[in-house]
């Protein structure tokens, strides 16, 4: 190993502990364990280097978006792409970064609707193991909240009118569930605030290459409190977790939304 | 648990039986088992609620598309997205809904060509385990059918001419296999009728975000007998299994096809 | 089984050896083993037939693109789509076809940036097992190369200017890493020549449905030495490993690039 190549031990060690923390019942694990630090250095020293020095030590510590939000963005990208191998590590990291167990439950449920049911099933199986490790449970949380967030009835009526006019003849079933289950139910659940639901949705859309759906949801995210500097860093985080091309395809859409809202020239708190 | 939150036991119990039915050789299972009902309720009571009350009890019982067709749409979406965790459950459900073992084999083979080879390899590994559970085998079925469905030679010649003129200089190899293996072979195999092959193809295209390829195949599906009411409900089913954004990106394409065929205002048998 | 349906044993037998070569520690395998030949013939004789007779015996032996390049294209498509089931087989095949262990490490690292971090993590876990089988290690290779390939400073300055002008206000973070980590670092690593990095990138873009990003990278690939005949066969290989619709969506982009470079009518060495 060349001198000058210093490999900080901690974060990958934490990743490794996924394997070693439950040695006796590893055969019942629901996920493929990530490669250990030694395995990564043996197989791809370059990938081990970028993972540690660029992603874990640099990207995650950038200003503009705090670590809790980076966890939400990263988990949304991983779940939406059904990339389970890093989920145990990032569920633990999210809990350490202050994402609550209930928020994780709501994030998964939100992505069932926004990225396909089975992705949420996979994520639930893995989160269940992470909760077991830590003695966490959401079992006492009601499946249906007693109270819901207030609805902006005018905006919702307008949305329904536009969608009904445009697609009423195409699929009444889709429109029925869009109204009754998504906008009058899911988005009003208090376990995850609307700004975070928007963060989850935008991250999933960029990660799965659905730039054409980003305009509506990025505007909604910024209406719900996401700043321009934060949105800018969401793209930086996603470049690594969804890949450069996905982010470059989303960039023109972010630019249009920033322009329309008059925030394009607002500083992005970049410290690079 | 709140009163009023009644959790119907059966369908999730069936899903759980995936794990418990072969306890002795669970280590040799080729798939990650779905979370059990208890695990889902512990980790994400909200997701457990929507899975049972909205998807299994409501969506699957809607009119407009029967349960056999819903199984074909769902399996196509899961396989095309390489979402293996729910495949054991949905292969069993498809058999229960009347999809034959040979049709499942043909569905997987069709998706090898329309969604990438490895997705079919994963699906075959899992279907093999489900067949073992039920004592089913396709081993006596010839790999190449003795007889093929009749070919519409004029339409096929027209397709070949257009594609040759447009892409003949780009990739002769692609065009060679498109003609010889897809349109003169795969689509003429009698094990899955053309209407069902179209249903598989359209479902896979919507689920993988390829709206630009839907026009040709949705027209072909409707030429092959898929009704407007059925196509409308395909979108409803896919909203859950491929995620809302994929369906909203496909909606304008479905609308154009319905308009061109003069069926946009035909009722969609919606009972919601 | 019909006469005339001859099932060549060897390639699928090699695939099966994934399971049998390490029977004692199969429980610690990081991947789902592919179905054996017997399992494929029991479950889907049709899929077994096309896998052997069309893909392994015919596609892989076509002229226009050698087997080493076909391995690079196939691995790029599988990793970019996170399709792990065929990775053990295709890592072994790539080594047999002359792709070096260091090239495999660089290919995975390149795809971390071009298809999302977790896909590279999954691939590393599996490649580690294949290396163990064969007693291979990259542990003596420095993570950061001592020397880098020469940079075309003028072209790079032009790229930076265009991107800064277009997206400087959108995400300074993305632009920072694009310059410092991608174009001044990753692309200049000598472990994988630029022509092969381009082959990896184009294959991943087509396989994940990002036709809009192909123009830049296909031009770069051809500047880096990929011939028109080779590019044409990349599409043929990807038709099987990414699915027909992905390739048909990429075809117009390939056509435009071929036209702009004046090579559209150049023969494609087609032997079909």
């Amino acid at each position: 190993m060349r001198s000058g190549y210093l490999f900080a031990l901690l974060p990958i060690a934490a990743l490794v502990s996924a394997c070693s923390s439950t040695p006796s019942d590893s055969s019942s694990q629901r996920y493929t364990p990530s490669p250990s630090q030694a395995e990564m250095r043996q197989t791809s020293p370059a990938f081990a280097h970028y993972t540690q020095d660029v992603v874990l030590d640099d990207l995650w510590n950038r200003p503009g978006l705090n670590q809790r939000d980076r966890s939400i963005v990263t988990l949304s990208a991983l779940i939406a792409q059904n990339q389970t191998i890093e989920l145990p590590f990032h569920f633990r990291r999210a809990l350490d970064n202050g994402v609550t167990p209930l928020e994780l439950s709501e994030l998964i449920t939100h992505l069932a609707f926004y990225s396909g049911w089975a992705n949420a099933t996979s994520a639930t199986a893995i989160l269940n193991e992470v909760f077991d490790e830590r003695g966490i449970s959401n079992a006492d949380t009601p499946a249906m909240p007693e109270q819901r967030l207030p609805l902006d009835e005018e905006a919702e009526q307008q949305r329904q009118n536009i969608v009904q006019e445009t697609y009423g003849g195409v699929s009444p079933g889709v429109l029925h569930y869009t109204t009754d289950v998504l906008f009058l139910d899911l988005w009003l659940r208090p376990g995850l605030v609307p700004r975070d639901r928007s963060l989850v949705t935008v991250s999933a859309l960029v990660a799965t290459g659905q730039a054409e759906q980003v305009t509506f949801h990025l505007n909604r995210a910024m209406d719900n409190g996401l700043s321009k500097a934060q949105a800018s860093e969401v793209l930086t985080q996603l470049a690594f977790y969804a890949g450069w091309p996905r982010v470059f395809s989303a960039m023109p859409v972010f630019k249009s939304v920033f322009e329309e809202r008059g925030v394009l020239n607002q500083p992005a708190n970049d410290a690079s």
Side-chain angles (χ1 to χ4, degrees), chain A:
Chain A
M1 198 165 61
R2 291 172 65 221
S3 67
Y5 170 56
L6 270 172
F7 206 102
L9 282 178
L10 268 176
I12 289 200
L15 204 147
V16 176
S17 71
C19 323
S20 54
S21 64
T22 53
S24 58
D25 56 340
S26 67
S27 67
S28 70
Q29 271 183 355
R30 280 233 179 70
Y31 51 84
T32 303
S34 284
S36 70
Q37 182 191 9
E39 288 170 333
M40 283 179 75
R41 284 169 56 186
Q42 173 189 321
T43 302
S44 183
F47 182 53
H49 153 66
Y50 289 113
T51 300
Q52 188 64 55
D53 295 357
V54 178
V55 176
L56 296 177
D57 288 354
D58 190 44
L59 173 72
W60 278 82
N61 292 305
R62 287 174 61 84
L65 195 69
N66 66 30
Q67 301 222 354
R68 175 189 174 277
D69 286 348
R70 289 187 190 271
S71 277
I72 289 175
V73 170
T74 303
L75 283 174
S76 301
L78 294 175
I79 295 171
Q81 297 174 94
N82 201 21
Q83 295 171 321
T84 52
I85 195 168
E86 293 198 5
L87 277 184
F89 175 73
H90 284 291
F91 276 136
R92 292 187 197 101
R93 194 175 177 95
L95 289 165
D96 295 342
N97 285 338
V99 184
T100 68
L102 180 58
E103 285 172 334
L104 289 178
S105 159
E106 293 290 328
L107 180 151
I108 289 174
T109 306
H110 195 87
L111 286 171
F113 292 95
Y114 280 92
S115 83
W117 218 255
N119 291 344
T121 303
S122 291
T124 301
I126 292 171
L127 183 57
N128 185 260
E129 302 217 348
V130 172
F131 277 6
D132 279 350
E133 280 170 26
R134 301 205 172 185
I136 295 172
S137 171
N138 281 321
D140 293 336
T141 314
M144 298 285 276
E146 308 232 357
Q147 285 207 309
R148 288 172 191 274
L149 300 175
L151 173 69
D152 180 341
E153 296 193 13
E154 195 182 340
E156 170 56 17
Q157 192 56 56
Q158 201 184 355
R159 188 200 61 73
Q160 285 182 32
N161 293 346
I162 291 172
V163 173
Q164 179 62 37
E165 200 179 331
T166 316
Y167 297 127
V170 181
S171 182
V174 171
L175 268 54
H176 157 66
Y177 288 117
T178 304
T179 296
D180 284 17
V181 182
L182 264 62
F183 286 97
L184 298 185
D185 178 1
L186 182 73
W187 279 88
L188 304 181
R189 296 175 63 92
L192 191 67
V193 299
R195 180 263 193 199
D196 290 345
R197 287 191 188 273
S198 285
L199 191 59
V200 169
T201 309
V202 169
S203 300
L205 290 173
V206 173
T208 54
Q210 305 189 73
E212 77 279 7
Q213 302 281 342
V214 164
T215 304
F216 174 79
H217 284 289
L218 180 56
N219 270 306
R220 194 174 165 96
M222 298 184 83
D223 291 346
N224 284 337
L226 192 78
S227 73
K228 190 256 176 158
Q230 291 169 335
S232 166
E233 274 303 301
V234 168
L235 288 177
T236 313
Q237 189 78 8
L238 289 173
F240 289 90
Y241 288 99
W244 249 254
R246 294 293 188 207
V247 163
F248 267 86
S249 292
M251 208 97 91
V253 183
F254 274 61
K255 186 178 183 182
S256 295
V257 171
F258 290 167
E259 271 173 343
E260 279 165 33
R261 302 178 72 97
V263 299
L264 181 60
N265 298 317
Q266 205 171 290
N269 283 346
D270 182 45
S272 58

